Amino acid sequence: MAVSRDLWKELCSYNNLLLAFKKARKHKTLRPYVIEFEKDLQNNLLLLRTELLLHSYKPKPLETFILHDSKTRKISKSDFRDRVIHHAVCNIIEPFFEKIFICDSYANRKGKGMLKAIQRFEYFRQNLSQNNTSPIFVLKSDIRHYFDEVDHSILLEILRERINDPRVLWLIRKVLGSYSTSGGKGMPLGNLTSQFFANVYLNELDQFVKHTLKAKCYIRYVDDFVILHNSKEKLSAWKEIIAVFLREKLWLDLHPEKTKIISAHHGVNFLGLKIFPYHKIMKKRNVRSFKRKLKALCEKYDNGEILYDEIYDFLDGWIAYAKNADTFNVRKKIMKNVEDKFQGEFSMKEYNRICKK
């Protein structure tokens, strides 16, 4: 059912743009582009508001760079003023979709995240296996080239079911149009709107799996999803049905090499961990990736680009995630190095809290 409120008026309000600025600024208060924008904050926000009201707003070209992490990815970064617009859009429309998302969609949502997804996986496995006495199989898959294949026309149709204001949809088209691989497809990795629209788009899959297939033990994190079941044959049948649904409804394909049915007894790779019935291990490449990101943050801190709070939040989140695997010695060594570097800011209380097993 479409929304009848004047969402455009709410979106363009100064208060919403101010809130959007504060969210976009979070952990970036020392960045030169944030400082520059904030010098004339009121006029910059009023200018954005005028551009929206006159329908003259046009996103600036994206800054694109290649990130060599566990895999090579193309990251496209929006200008800061455009990121304010992204937050302004999500502030208004996200609540209407959040209430229809399923419980077991875990990416980019408050109160969710990787840790909760892993805990849910273990809960499902424990219940289905009746305390590891029955065999469990896992259909593990992700979407091939997901962010590059999201179709703008299909996404807009999905959004239109709940957002019927043509002015809001015009702005969303502007945001989507700032990045397109070809033929009205694709969303840039790294943008807030991309993260939100990714959930909106695959909510169609979530609803199909939960309510049409009636799969009880289903978990999705961005385009990575698993279904647990006692029957390998049932999972095999569901895999074919899901492939047809994705192709016909969303114009997407399952990744042929990453879609497989695995015995849970042999361990399942899920969100950076390999989960066995009685223990979990973390892939070495994930530890290397973490160290690279931490090193990059430390360099920004040394250059005065960020505050220690950003490093602490990054450490706190990763340690909470890593504690789910057999990583005690790795965590202890990393946190000792952090304590040595940040003696003036890193307290032993923090060390004990986030390093304690």
Side-chain angles (χ1 to χ4, degrees), residues 55 85 122 192 233-234:
H55 279 49
I85 293 296
E122 293 192 294
L192 173 72
E233 291 72 23
K234 171 66 79 173

Side-chain angles (χ1 to χ4, degrees), residues 54-112:
L54 295 178
H55 279 49
S56 63
Y57 167 73
K58 185 178 180 181
K60 292 187 177 183
L62 297 169
E63 178 187 345
T64 300
F65 56 95
I66 303 300
L67 179 64
H68 299 285
D69 206 331
S70 55
K71 55 184 178 180
T72 301
R73 294 177 293 168
K74 184 174 78 171
I75 306 296
S76 297
K77 185 178 178 182
S78 293
D79 188 83
F80 182 72
R81 75 192 303 267
D82 296 321
R83 280 180 260 167
V84 173
I85 293 296
H86 299 167
H87 279 279
V89 171
C90 290
N91 285 347
I92 299 304
I93 71 172
E94 186 174 6
F96 298 107
F97 290 92
E98 179 62 32
K99 62 186 178 184
I100 67 167
F101 289 161
I102 66 167
C103 173
D104 289 315
S105 164
Y106 285 89
N108 307 306
R109 296 175 64 195
K110 290 180 180 178
K112 301 292 183 177

Side-chain angles (χ1 to χ4, degrees), residues 36-72:
E36 186 64 27
F37 191 93
E38 196 167 8
K39 280 181 183 177
D40 197 12
L41 178 60
Q42 185 174 20
N43 284 334
N44 282 328
L45 294 181
L46 288 174
L47 178 58
L48 277 177
R49 183 171 187 270
T50 299
E51 290 179 11
L52 292 175
L53 292 172
L54 295 178
H55 279 49
S56 63
Y57 167 73
K58 185 178 180 181
K60 292 187 177 183
L62 297 169
E63 178 187 345
T64 300
F65 56 95
I66 303 300
L67 179 64
H68 299 285
D69 206 331
S70 55
K71 55 184 178 180
T72 301

Side-chain angles (χ1 to χ4, degrees), residues 181-348:
T181 52
S182 63
K185 287 187 174 184
M187 300 188 301
L189 283 171
N191 276 1
L192 173 72
T193 47
S194 298
Q195 296 168 4
F196 171 63
F197 293 148
N199 276 338
V200 171
Y201 205 75
L202 282 184
N203 180 59
E204 302 294 304
L205 172 65
D206 298 342
Q207 300 296 333
F208 177 76
V209 171
K210 294 294 289 185
H211 301 299
T212 302
L213 298 184
K214 301 189 183 302
K216 295 180 180 179
C217 301
Y218 165 80
I219 302 168
R220 181 176 63 80
Y221 190 93
V222 193
D223 63 326
D224 192 356
F225 68 88
V226 293
I227 307 177
L228 292 79
H229 202 278
N230 297 108
S231 169
K232 188 175 183 179
E233 291 72 23
K234 171 66 79 173
L235 290 177
S236 182
W238 280 349
K239 182 183 75 170
E240 299 305 320
I241 295 170
I242 289 170
V244 172
F245 172 83
L246 286 171
R247 198 173 303 118
E248 294 182 350
K249 177 75 174 178
L250 300 176
W251 297 1
L252 298 172
D253 291 302
L254 295 177
H255 198 296
E257 297 172 5
K258 297 180 181 179
T259 300
K260 55 189 71 175
I261 298 172
I262 309 160
S263 168
H265 177 75
H266 296 136
V268 179
N269 289 316
F270 186 50
L271 301 182
L273 302 182
K274 188 159 188 177
I275 305 174
F276 294 90
Y278 296 103
H279 72 288
K280 297 181 287 295
I281 59 176
M282 180 176 289
K283 293 182 177 179
K284 290 183 179 179
R285 71 182 187 188
N286 286 42
V287 177
R288 290 195 298 268
S289 173
F290 163 76
K291 289 180 177 179
R292 281 195 298 269
K293 291 176 182 177
L294 178 59
K295 181 180 178 182
L297 284 174
C298 288
E299 288 174 355
K300 288 180 179 179
Y301 173 85
D302 291 339
N303 294 332
E305 297 177 40
I306 62 173
L307 295 171
Y308 171 70
D309 288 351
E310 185 169 346
I311 294 176
Y312 177 76
D313 286 348
F314 173 71
L315 283 168
D316 199 24
W318 189 83
I319 294 295
Y321 160 75
K323 284 167 70 173
N324 281 270
D326 301 331
T327 59
F328 178 76
N329 289 332
V330 172
R331 287 183 281 120
K332 186 175 180 180
K333 183 177 179 180
I334 289 172
M335 299 319 297
K336 179 63 170 63
N337 292 337
V338 170
E339 182 195 15
D340 291 342
K341 178 173 177 59
F342 297 102
Q343 290 182 12
E345 300 193 65
F346 192 85
S347 69
M348 283 303 298

